[in-house]
Amino acid sequence: MTAKSQVKINFEVSFKEPQAHYAEVEMNIAGITAKNYVDVKMPVWTPGSYLVREFAKSVEGFGATAGGKSVKTEKVNKNTWRVYNAKANAVKINYRVYAFEISVRTAFIDASHAFLSPANIFMFPAGMIKTPSTVKIIPFTGWDKVSTGLEPVAGQNFTYKAPDFDILYDSPLEVGNQDIFEFNAAGVRHEVAMYGGGNYDKERLKVDMAKIVEQETAVFGENPNKHYTFIVHNYAQGGGGLEHLNSTVLGASRNGYGTERGYSGFLGLVAHEYFHLWNVKRLRPIALGPFDYENENYTTNLWIAEGFTSYYPTKVMLRAGFINQEGFITSNLGSIGTVMNTPGSKINSAAESSFNAWINPAYRPSENANNTFISYYTKGQVVGLLMDLEIINATKGAKSLDDVMKAMYLQCKTLKRGYTDAEFKAMVEKISGISFTNFWDKYVTGTVDVEYAKYFAYAGIDVINENEGKSVPYLGAAAARTSAGTGKVIIGAVSRGSGAWNGGLNVNDEVVSIDGAPAEMMLERMSQITYKKVGDVIKVSIVRDGLKRDLDITLTANPTVRFKSTINEDATPAQLVVRKKWLGIN
């Protein structure tokens, strides 16, 4: 090929059969020399969602022409097509993409709209990731809007430009008749594109979403965008989000805006994904960019990238006035409880959980996941909470995790690259003025239980485990009925170290009876056999693979934690300083 600056790439996307979930893609590459063929590739994953999804599986009808004549093409591996250009300096490639998976990370097309997740749709020429491209959208009949973070090409309707494929793959497009409204915050124009209808109040959202933008911008001191696009898909039941450089895609329930819980949940999702504008997209682990779109990209720092982005929405919601101090404390204690009540948290450290993201059971469900894995979202959120309190306490209220995040953002901006784990730790120590080696050993690379009482005591908040000292019998198996009306009770999960685990009760066992009582009557008491004591033996009759078996199971003590917090009215002046800083008390 010629020098990359001389190659020109443009795409045209149209929709002949949207009702059948297809996009028609035309890709033109001009300026080709020096080779007899061009390889074009489809990404196997999309940044922000750490799973190899094999987008090439949805491609069909691949063909190419040069000089108006068909040329030979062949598929050379799972995601690469070779186009023999017969020494022509330009080729036109055509292919179709089937798009019928509803999520924030995958393309979806039907008669009402098209959501184009770019890594699902656009191929790139091998070795040409840094080449600019343009994208022209030809909306289906009756569609008249396109929403995207891409920059428009002046004078060309529905045509957009990307300086390279990293930007293209980071810029989803919503095509259809979405309801669009705008607001300005932190000096940035924000567009909100609502698909699917819903009981949302646009005027209320404009005000409240702007508050979130302002609060998060204040953490970092600047907002790096000129414009930002929220693409919101409202379904009967929806959820999730995926961050992009100057846009995000959110899933929501169309009728959830009418309740305070639903509305608060949506604002929390906005806060999470918007925080990614800095944390991940600019303040990022060094492994997350430039991306390899054909293989897994490993990092041990998703506990920062996603975990801290799970911690900060609660802080932002508190600062913006959407939740109160009690709600903030309760939410954070709930996260600690989730970590401590998950057996996998003693197997997977925060760093290991991050590195193992590519086999994350959230994407590949496993009946044993609870025993072997802990989410880097939740564990990272807890690490962020503890680190925040440690910094505030060490600096006597002068600094907090905010200062670390801002300093690391500016460092990444200056160095024009992501951070290493050692660099992040060094900045935490610089801001706090103390060593964090022991903290790292415990909570980042280690799997010790959270010292919750110690950290909340920094802020003069007393926290107790209401289950401590109690001896409640515990079977350790979760049950679920099969199809409605069968009366069968099937084991869905078994907890590590429990009586069920030690006694040999298995997932998929059908429980017939417990101590002679029909299992269906015991369904609500499967986890806690309250009529027994710890150490008692119960007889569980099961059917496994069509054969009946009797198991003697010794009940263990319930290991779960349940927290209660109390604001200490007699807190010391030092504790009050920490509390004021952490809770944002004026």
Side-chain angles (χ1 to χ4, degrees), residues 350-388:
E352 288 171 326
S353 176
S354 172
F355 193 80
N356 289 329
W358 296 92
I359 51 173
N360 182 351
Y363 291 141
R364 291 190 172 104
S366 163
E367 71 281 350
N368 200 40
N370 212 44
N371 294 313
T372 60
F373 188 84
I374 183 68
S375 169
Y376 47 81
Y377 283 83
T378 312
K379 199 155 196 175
Q381 179 179 349
V382 171
V383 174
L385 159 69
L386 303 183
M387 189 178 290
D388 199 10

Side-chain angles (χ1 to χ4, degrees), residues 421-494:
D421 186 76
E423 287 172 336
F424 198 93
K425 178 174 179 286
M427 185 61 77
V428 174
E429 293 179 333
K430 179 181 178 181
I431 297 293
S432 66
I434 62 172
S435 171
F436 263 76
T437 297
N438 186 48
F439 183 98
W440 238 254
D441 290 344
K442 286 182 175 180
Y443 299 120
V444 176
T445 59
T447 58
V448 302
D449 276 340
V450 177
E451 299 171 280
Y452 55 87
K454 166 189 170 182
Y455 284 94
F456 279 82
Y458 286 162
I461 300 170
D462 298 325
V463 178
I464 62 169
N465 171 17
E466 293 186 301
N467 288 343
E468 189 170 357
K470 294 181 180 179
S471 185
V472 178
Y474 174 75
L475 177 59
R481 283 188 175 90
T482 56
S483 56
T486 66
K488 293 182 178 180
V489 175
I490 306 297
I491 297 299
V494 177

